[in-house]
Amino acid sequence: MTGRRTSSADGRRVAAAVAVALAMLRFAAGAGAQEIPAAPAEAPRAGGSDGWNSEAALLLIERAIDARRHAWADSSLERFRADVQGHVYYLGDILGERHVIRADQIAVDVRWQHPDRSMQTIVGRRHELRLPTTIAYHLDHLFLVLDDFEDRIRIGDGHEIRDVLHPAGEGAPEFYEYRLADSLEIRVRDRTARVFELEVRPRDGTDAGAVGSLFVERETGAIARMRLTFTPAAYRDPQIVRLVVDLRSALQEGRYWLPDEQEVEIVRSLPWFDFPLETLVRTRLRVLDYGFDEEALFGLGPGQLIYSVREEELARFDGWEDSLYGGPLEAASADGDPGAVVANARELLRRQPLLGGRRWQLALPNASGGIRARRSEGLFIGAGAAYRPNDLTRVSFAGGHALGEARPQAGLGLRRRLGEVDVEADGWLRAHRDAGPTAAAGVLRTLALLARGEDYEDPYLATGGRIGIARRGGPVRWRVGASLERHRSAALVVGTAPFGDRSARPVRPVDQGDLARLDAGLTVALRSGSGTRWTLDLAGEAAANGVGDFGYTRATAALRARGRPGGAWNWASDVELGLAGGELPAQRLFLLGGRGSLPGYEFRGWGGDRMALWRTEVSRTVAAPWVRLRAIGAAGWAGLGGAGEDAARRFGVDGSEGLRASAGLGLGLFYDILRLDVMRGLRGDPAPGGSEGRWVLLLSVDPRFLRIL
């Protein structure tokens, strides 16, 4: 197929120019007069209180409706052939971080013939499963939309969207309202194309309809771009939270507006249960070349036909323009961000509900929030609920009873979306906190306690609240907040492993009192030319004696690198640094040793007011997807100065007295979800607290799942 491309380079340059120009529309308000020829009224600017259904806006939509009755707004077009490639990603969103579950890449041969005959054939396809899934994509997720949808929009073969009136379909002005926003002029050869953004919304926001923008050429009424989402009543699948469509066209041969690029994002969650996990299907198809034949080199039967060549032929395709992971894992720009489309649509609907899903749901903060076992709690049983009064606000409650401690626990959270940030307010009663970073998944900690009397945490009790703001999406994420808490030491209530005869490790005491602090964090996602993904995490906090009982500062920095996704080999490396000043409480020491930091030594055998830790791993698939061979290494150091010396003594730890290291081999099982590693601490001389290197066998899970398990 690649040897048969006949389109001109001029057509592709025009396509690129149109795409760039449309991306600048939001920043070009008032570019040129917005008066539609033959209309008696001048079009108002976006946001005007009297801008809906102006005479100019209605004239323009009538032109668009009339143009859709003809092929591509130019009845002289007889036939074309297009070379299309694209990506389909199935992603999991875990607390705002997206991870690939399945990646697909497709190549499609598209043929069209006047008036409405078409045939699309998948001629190349490759994919990779990163996590287990049985997802089967709807056919229309894999093919090019040739007509900006019919008068009744169907998506997902009618299972996701069905029978929604097209904003430029027959009878649309009786159902929708329209408002002129921005305009721009595009010079193409010997003509100038003038494109207007026409905002659209249903007259009644509770009806099943589309919301967003049409970009319409003034002269022909052709739709150059259609960027839409939908009202909740439009969703046929109760799991759908939102669905965003962005169809972009470009001028070909100086007069035909033909498809150039299309993006669709579909977000799903459980309709009855609020859990910090959503799934997304994100697709992007691009037309690489068009061919316009003067002679009828092919003929098509009536209707729209969809085919695929055989599996062995799909695998032989070698004309890929980019890599399997070269597509839209993240939005390329604010103009193409589905979240921005939803935010704009929300404004158009006067902040009426826009997302799908139920208002009331059962809820848990993670899997261990329902049932777990800990040294300081015994058996804990919990439940929760979440309520969304609108798209911008979420109220959640979680609580339970620790049977061994015989005390209740509770937490209340409020989230309110303001533009690109979330305003947060949280309160908690007798929350069990860990003095160090999470060392194991909650489910494994329960199993370890039952079998070995060890839950891999150093707990203390916190009662208080926090307010803050955060930006959780995009390549730059940040948070700032202020909190006031009362800290108390926890008690040991499980002295022996229930299914063994091992004694549980004692619960270390913490410094009790009121802690008033400010906190801030910054995460920056970077990408190098080689495909390596870099992430920089910065965090800091400060507490003042004047308000609470503690006065200190504490800061951490972490640089994380990940190899290019896909392929048999992969690698990861993290470097973390920590430094504190003032007078640290014991629960804010930097703790090292054992699982989660330096395997092969006593669990959290060292601590201090300064810390350095490096961890790395290299892995290779040996029997995909069941077995992956891993080589792991770590090195770290904890030092003590004036800020943490007293706290370390009370907590029962000391500095590491030099660099400590560990290394080992392991297996990643079942898509690398479960990990079984054999490691040894490399420094055999006894260290403070009796921590010396030894062999250990560790069962763990992929770190991506730590916070939800």
Side-chain angles (χ1 to χ4, degrees):
M1 180 172 64
T2 55
R4 197 186 165 280
R5 297 171 184 166
T6 59
S7 66
S8 66
D10 191 32
R12 293 304 302 166
R13 285 195 295 269
V14 170
V18 172
V20 172
L22 289 176
M24 297 175 63
L25 266 173
R26 286 289 176 188
F27 305 98
Q34 296 190 11
E35 182 180 349
I36 306 300
E42 181 177 308
R45 296 183 184 275
S49 59
D50 59 347
W52 290 100
N53 297 325
S54 67
E55 190 172 357
L58 294 178
L59 174 61
L60 188 62
I61 192 60
E62 288 294 345
R63 289 187 182 180
I65 294 171
D66 184 66
R68 280 173 51 81
R69 298 190 183 102
H70 308 290
W72 317 110
D74 191 321
S75 57
S76 66
L77 181 62
E78 291 293 330
R79 61 180 53 81
F80 65 76
R81 183 174 182 178
D83 178 4
V84 178
Q85 290 190 20
H87 299 82
V88 183
Y89 294 128
Y90 184 47
L91 307 172
D93 190 309
I94 302 175
L95 295 169
E97 296 184 4
R98 294 182 178 178
H99 306 280
V100 178
I101 300 174
R102 173 175 173 144
D104 286 74
Q105 191 171 14
I106 57 175
V108 186
D109 176 54
V110 178
R111 305 186 186 196
W112 180 89
Q113 187 175 340
H114 182 81
D116 58 358
R117 301 179 178 186
S118 66
M119 181 175 70
Q120 301 193 51
T121 306
I122 297 180
V123 296
R125 186 171 184 177
R126 58 182 177 178
H127 77 276
E128 181 182 66
L129 281 177
R130 303 288 297 278
L131 291 171
T133 179
T134 58
I135 188 173
Y137 298 118
H138 294 290
L139 278 179
D140 57 4
H141 294 165
L142 307 178
F143 294 94
L144 196 66
V145 177
L146 293 176
D147 55 2
D148 288 331
F149 298 111
E150 297 180 351
D151 280 356
R152 292 285 173 174
I153 298 176
R154 289 170 56 90
I155 301 176
D157 299 325
H159 297 290
E160 296 162 345
I161 298 290
R162 182 172 70 235
D163 295 331
V164 171
L165 180 62
H166 194 294
E170 292 289 342
E174 285 73 44
F175 183 82
Y176 289 104
E177 294 183 307
Y178 305 89
R179 181 172 68 181
L180 280 166
D182 300 332
S183 69
L184 77 161
E185 293 184 349
I186 305 170
R187 183 70 180 173
V188 183
R189 293 183 180 174
D190 57 350
R191 61 167 288 198
T192 297
R194 187 105 174 258
V195 178
F196 287 81
E197 180 184 4
L198 195 61
E199 294 174 333
V200 58
R201 69 185 183 192
R203 293 177 180 272
D204 184 346
T206 62
D207 288 337
V211 191
S213 296
L214 306 179
F215 297 83
V216 182
E217 186 191 17
R218 178 186 60 181
E219 182 178 347
T220 64
I223 298 176
R225 183 177 184 180
M226 188 166 68
R227 190 173 59 189
L228 301 173
T229 186
F230 299 89
T231 61
Y235 298 134
R236 311 296 297 184
D237 185 344
Q239 298 184 66
I240 293 181
V241 176
R242 75 182 191 196
L243 194 156
V244 177
V245 176
D246 192 348
L247 306 182
R248 309 176 191 184
S249 299
L251 273 174
Q252 300 291 334
E253 299 294 295
R255 54 179 173 169
Y256 307 129
W257 286 96
L258 299 182
D260 182 63
E261 187 171 4
Q262 73 178 46
E263 293 188 59
V264 179
E265 181 178 276
I266 305 166
V267 182
R268 287 184 173 88
S269 68
L270 294 175
W272 56 272
F273 189 57
D274 187 292
F275 194 71
L277 172 65
E278 292 180 333
T279 60
L280 301 86
V281 174
R282 174 172 278 185
T283 70
R284 177 185 291 167
L285 300 181
R286 295 185 301 117
V287 178
L288 303 181
D289 282 292
Y290 273 104
F292 301 92
D293 299 316
E294 295 181 1
E295 300 180 1
L297 300 182
F298 59 82
L300 300 177
Q304 299 184 12
L305 306 177
I306 292 175
Y307 296 103
S308 174
V309 301
R310 293 177 298 180
E311 288 291 332
E312 56 269 26
E313 295 182 56
L314 293 175
R316 285 199 297 267
F317 182 83
D318 61 357
W320 300 113
E321 291 287 321
D322 54 19
S323 69
L324 180 62
Y325 293 95
L329 286 173
E330 296 290 343
S333 64
D335 181 65
D337 181 9
V341 177
V342 173
N344 293 337
R346 185 180 293 115
E347 294 297 326
L348 296 180
L349 281 181
R350 308 182 190 91
R351 300 183 181 274
Q352 292 184 30
L354 187 61
L355 300 183
R358 297 179 179 176
R359 296 295 171 254
W360 278 101
Q361 295 175 298
L362 297 176
L364 285 176
N366 51 52
S368 297
I371 184 169
R372 64 175 180 259
R374 298 290 186 268
R375 301 185 349 265
S376 60
E377 296 176 314
L379 180 65
F380 174 87
I381 299 175
Y387 173 62
R388 291 189 312 165
N390 53 57
D391 296 348
L392 302 173
T393 307
R394 177 182 180 271
V395 181
S396 62
F397 169 81
H401 192 75
L403 301 183
E405 188 190 19
R407 294 289 184 89
Q409 299 177 29
L412 181 67
L414 170 66
R415 300 289 183 274
R416 173 70 179 181
R417 188 74 172 175
L418 292 179
E420 295 184 348
V421 302
D422 293 328
V423 178
E424 307 169 338
D426 297 280
W428 45 86
L429 171 68
R430 296 184 59 81
H432 281 237
R433 298 276 184 79
D434 189 359
T438 301
V443 173
L444 294 183
R445 289 157 63 190
T446 294
L447 295 177
L449 178 67
L450 297 177
R452 305 180 65 244
E454 174 62 270
D455 55 10
Y456 300 110
E457 71 173 18
D458 290 295
Y460 64 95
L461 307 180
T463 297
R466 178 183 180 275
I467 58 172
I469 59 173
R471 187 182 191 275
R472 305 196 182 280
V476 178
R477 291 171 286 168
W478 54 266
R479 58 174 173 78
V480 295
S483 60
L484 178 62
E485 303 176 316
R486 173 161 294 181
H487 289 182
R488 292 290 182 268
S489 294
L492 182 68
V493 299
V494 177
T496 305
F499 301 117
D501 56 0
R502 290 194 179 189
S503 297
R505 183 166 53 91
V507 173
R508 292 164 164 165
V510 301
D511 292 319
Q512 302 187 121
D514 294 332
L515 172 63
R517 64 180 168 182
L518 302 175
D519 66 86
L522 174 68
T523 299
V524 182
L526 308 170
R527 182 183 291 272
S528 72
S530 63
T532 301
R533 293 168 296 156
W534 297 87
T535 303
L536 176 64
D537 286 320
L538 303 175
E541 59 185 87
N545 272 321
V547 180
D549 298 320
F550 307 105
Y552 69 91
T553 57
R554 189 178 189 270
T556 60
L559 183 62
R560 314 183 194 280
R562 300 291 182 269
R564 181 191 298 271
W569 288 92
N570 210 337
W571 63 273
S573 185
D574 298 343
V575 176
E576 301 179 37
L577 303 173
L579 180 65
E583 187 175 347
L584 277 179
Q587 56 270 34
R588 301 308 293 150
L589 289 167
F590 298 109
L591 302 174
L592 287 182
R595 179 187 286 265
S597 57
L598 293 171
Y601 297 98
E602 178 189 353
F603 181 69
R604 295 178 180 169
W606 309 302
D609 50 37
R610 62 200 73 172
M611 173 272 295
L613 177 64
W614 170 68
R615 291 175 291 186
T616 189
E617 68 174 66
V618 178
S619 62
R620 190 187 193 283
T621 299
V622 294
W626 308 107
V627 181
R628 194 172 185 90
L629 183 64
R630 293 158 34 85
I632 315 106
W637 164 84
L640 275 172
E645 190 172 6
D646 292 340
R649 184 181 66 256
R650 294 190 297 271
F651 201 67
V653 296
D654 208 333
S656 63
E657 292 192 353
L659 190 68
R660 302 283 168 166
S662 58
L665 295 174
L667 296 176
L669 306 175
F670 191 56
Y671 295 91
D672 202 24
I673 296 174
L674 286 176
R675 298 176 175 185
L676 189 63
D677 302 323
V678 177
M679 299 194 69
R680 177 176 172 80
L682 299 181
R683 186 168 166 181
D685 58 301
S691 180
E692 61 182 47
R694 59 183 180 268
W695 289 100
V696 292
L697 178 65
L698 300 177
L699 177 65
S700 61
V701 300
D702 187 323
R704 292 177 294 179
F705 303 116
L706 281 180
R707 293 191 292 174
I708 64 172
L709 293 178

